[in-house]
Amino acid sequence: MAFTGSAAQAALAVGAATPDFTTEAARAGVAFKFSLMESLKKGPVVLYFYPKAFTSGCTVEAHNFAEATPKFEALGATVVGISNDDIETLKKFSVEACRDKFAVAADKGARIMKQYDAALWMKPDMADRISYVISPEGKVLYVYASLSPDQHVENTLKAVQIWRASVAK
């Protein structure tokens, strides 16, 4: 199964191996260590990069992911957002914008953004708005890049549904 969003511009192509990482994250205001490898043991991961917590587009996107999180969870998928915001900001964002539904991770130094080619070209220390669906085997199943937050949730949910249907066969 290989598919990509029409707006995809990220360097990690469908089928590419994804870099593993562990970083600080927050869910429901509580900090913890997020490990991509550990999350993939449970199922696919929707890893979405966003520019900055508490900005209008990023708040809309977080609300949309929060509303859809039960659907992702029903399909066995984990949602995690990532930006270069500090962990204290992300603790608040995880409560207010993410509504305690999913984790947001800190990318201090933009290390993970660079590995995923998700840095904003004009501001390389800030994330572009790029969503990846990663298979439990650590491969890119789907990628969608658009500064508009509007289609990220819908597109990644559809990708996870297609993945789920393909493994159910």
Side-chain angles (χ1 to χ4, degrees):
M1 178 182 74
F3 49 98
T4 184
S6 60
Q9 301 160 346
L12 289 186
V14 170
T18 55
D20 186 27
F21 65 89
T22 300
T23 191
E24 275 190 300
R27 181 175 178 172
V30 178
F32 69 99
K33 288 287 183 194
F34 175 84
S35 164
L36 178 63
M37 190 64 68
E38 288 302 311
S39 291
L40 290 172
K41 290 178 183 177
K42 302 173 200 162
V45 171
V46 175
L47 177 65
Y48 83 93
F49 291 87
Y50 62 95
K52 190 150 187 63
F54 295 110
T55 57
S56 60
C58 297
T59 299
V60 165
E61 186 176 28
H63 286 173
N64 292 344
F65 269 112
E67 287 176 18
T69 294
K71 293 176 185 175
F72 283 107
E73 289 173 344
L75 295 165
T78 300
V79 173
V80 63
I82 190 162
S83 71
N84 71 344
D85 291 299
D86 63 56
I87 195 64
E88 291 307 314
T89 300
L90 293 177
K91 283 180 181 178
K92 294 173 192 155
F93 193 66
S94 73
V95 172
E96 294 175 31
C98 305
R99 300 177 178 158
D100 301 336
K101 299 285 187 181
F102 65 93
V104 281
D107 186 12
K108 186 176 183 176
R111 176 183 58 87
I112 301 164
M113 279 179 244
K114 289 174 185 155
Q115 291 177 317
Y116 280 79
D117 197 26
L120 203 56
W121 70 273
M122 293 177 4
K123 292 192 81 173
D125 61 332
M126 187 176 282
D128 198 348
R129 193 176 312 281
I130 298 175
S131 298
Y132 288 99
V133 177
I134 303 168
S135 75
E137 296 77 32
K139 303 285 185 187
V140 175
L141 291 174
Y142 177 81
V143 59
Y144 181 76
S146 173
L147 280 176
S148 170
D150 296 338
Q151 297 298 310
H152 287 265
V153 173
E154 181 181 315
N155 290 350
T156 55
L157 183 58
K158 184 175 181 181
V160 173
Q161 290 167 334
I162 291 168
W163 171 83
R164 174 56 63 201
S166 76
V167 298
K169 291 180 182 179

